[in-house]
Amino acid sequence: MAIRQEQRAVAGRNKPQSYCDSWAGHGPASLLSSSANRGWSGLSAELRNHGKGTIPWMTSRSDIEICVDVCGNESLVTRRAAGIEDRSFARRGTIWLSPPGLHRFVDHAEDMVGILHMCLPLSQLSPSNLGSNIDGSAIGALRYERAFEDSLLAEIAYAIAAELHTETSAGNLLVETLASSLTARLVQKTANASSNQPFPLLTAKGLDRRRLFRVLDYIEANLEGDLTIDHMASIACLSKFHFARAFGQAVGQSPHRYVSARRLQRAKALLLQGDRSLADIALALSFSSQANFTRAFRQATGQSPGQYRRELSSCHRGKSLTVCGRPFRI
């Protein structure tokens, strides 16, 4: 009773997102969405419903698994592993962490809707990824955890769940950045409690104009290609974690938001040309399907790509511009 009263008191924070409603109809123990065909770098993820009952579960030997309740199920979850029995009521933002190779049993007292499973490769813990001096003890510190809450990890999970649900043009960049942030936060949170040295705060210096323009030119030249944080960071001669912060300081936007905006402008230009199909434009701008491109374009502009193309064509038909003193029809 006390738990439910507390949940009502923080109802605003635990209120399910709109995408939770669409997952609820899929039934128990079902895969709702997967990153398998998205080309993500840094982590993989699945959204699942889980039915009532007990299931055995084995974590891959090369991945750390982080599960997050992104909807708020208010269901009792019991996990048994490593000599620990963990009983907790799942609510929105509840997190379960399992190290590589862990065999465990998980019991759900009720059906659970919208559980995000994230698999983080151990390679994410390398110093080259985080840009800081992290030794092998960081991996050992990521041990089996009882259920816990962490607002930063939860927000990262919500962003990944939203990207799984609705693909965006720069989703790969977003996930790559979030994977680095997720890794840094996990190591910070689970580092050896006996150490007096906190996980180093990663400082970032704004990009100088020469390196910034080099990165911006690279982005512009590859809007219809494969843009990754790794490639952009290497052009700026920074680790990818430092790069994301430095780029944000210099431009005022994260890399994925900047690329999303530029790809939207490129999409408008390609639609205006009128000689490429919507499917071809979607593929060129790194969408996995025309439907996802249409959804993202409509969300950004209020129109479908087809409507935007028709309106521009009708507006421009019969109009003319003056170029170098001569009429030029558009």
Side-chain angles (χ1 to χ4, degrees):
M1 180 64 70
I3 291 175
R4 294 189 180 273
Q5 287 175 344
E6 180 186 355
Q7 288 172 339
R8 284 194 292 270
V10 291
R13 187 188 70 183
N14 291 335
K15 182 179 179 182
Q17 300 300 292
S18 57
Y19 45 69
C20 293
D21 295 335
S22 65
W23 299 340
H26 288 262
S30 60
L31 176 65
L32 309 178
S33 187
S34 171
S35 64
N37 297 317
R38 299 287 185 90
W40 286 8
S41 174
L43 62 77
S44 58
E46 291 180 346
L47 286 166
R48 288 184 173 273
N49 286 341
H50 289 289
K52 177 180 178 180
T54 302
I55 56 172
W57 201 272
M58 181 76 176
T59 310
S60 164
R61 293 189 179 276
S62 58
D63 295 323
I64 300 160
E65 185 180 36
I66 307 101
C67 297
V68 183
D69 184 339
V70 297
C71 285
N73 284 276
E74 302 184 15
S75 172
L76 177 64
V77 177
T78 304
R79 298 197 311 163
R80 300 177 184 87
I84 299 173
E85 180 175 285
D86 171 35
R87 295 166 61 86
S88 58
F89 278 93
R91 60 181 183 178
R92 187 167 187 259
T94 299
I95 301 167
W96 299 271
L97 184 146
S98 300
L102 179 72
H103 186 269
R104 62 197 183 279
F105 290 89
V106 183
D107 179 78
H108 303 124
E110 304 290 342
D111 291 347
M112 297 184 67
V113 175
I115 303 298
L116 178 67
H117 293 253
M118 297 178 288
C119 290
L120 194 70
L122 290 178
S123 58
Q124 282 293 110
L125 289 164
S126 67
S128 61
N129 275 330
L130 291 175
S132 56
N133 296 323
I134 298 177
D135 59 27
S137 64
I139 297 177
L142 291 169
R143 55 191 178 275
Y144 178 72
E145 289 276 358
R146 297 182 185 274
F148 63 95
E149 293 186 15
D150 182 279
S151 59
L152 178 56
L153 290 178
E155 290 300 330
I156 291 172
Y158 302 153
I160 291 171
E163 179 62 32
L164 270 180
H165 185 258
T166 305
E167 184 182 13
T168 61
S169 62
N172 292 1
L173 291 177
L174 170 64
V175 170
E176 193 176 0
T177 303
L178 291 174
S180 291
S181 299
L182 176 64
T183 305
R185 181 59 172 169
L186 279 177
V187 175
Q188 180 187 47
K189 182 175 178 60
T190 60
N192 193 329
S194 64
S195 173
N196 292 324
Q197 294 293 328
F199 184 77
L201 294 176
L202 301 180
T203 59
K205 297 179 181 178
L207 290 170
D208 60 74
R209 290 174 63 86
R210 178 177 58 84
R211 288 192 292 175
L212 175 61
F213 288 156
R214 196 163 63 211
V215 171
L216 295 181
D217 287 344
Y218 173 78
I219 291 173
E220 206 64 27
N222 290 275
L223 287 175
E224 297 182 47
D226 184 23
L227 282 170
T228 68
I229 294 292
D230 269 338
H231 288 159
M232 288 187 280
S234 66
I235 289 172
C237 300
L238 293 171
S239 72
K240 63 183 183 181
F241 191 80
H242 279 89
F243 169 75
R245 290 190 174 187
F247 187 93
Q249 283 188 339
V251 178
Q253 291 180 301
S254 64
H256 89 272
R257 286 191 180 277
Y258 178 84
V259 171
S260 290
R262 293 306 305 146
R263 278 183 168 157
L264 175 61
Q265 293 304 314
R266 178 62 60 85
K268 291 179 178 179
L270 294 175
L271 289 168
L272 182 58
Q273 292 173 9
D275 58 351
R276 294 176 69 171
S277 68
L278 297 184
D280 185 36
I281 293 173
L283 183 62
L285 296 178
S286 298
F287 285 94
S288 60
S289 69
Q290 181 180 331
N292 285 330
F293 168 58
T294 298
R295 188 181 301 112
F297 192 91
R298 188 191 300 275
Q299 187 175 25
T301 67
Q303 297 177 298
S304 70
Q307 289 172 326
Y308 181 86
R309 172 179 274 173
R310 287 191 296 271
E311 283 197 12
L312 254 62
S313 297
S314 62
C315 287
H316 287 178
R317 192 176 298 119
K319 292 184 179 181
S320 65
L321 293 173
T322 299
V323 180
C324 297
R326 298 181 180 180
F328 179 77
R329 296 189 65 81
I330 58 175

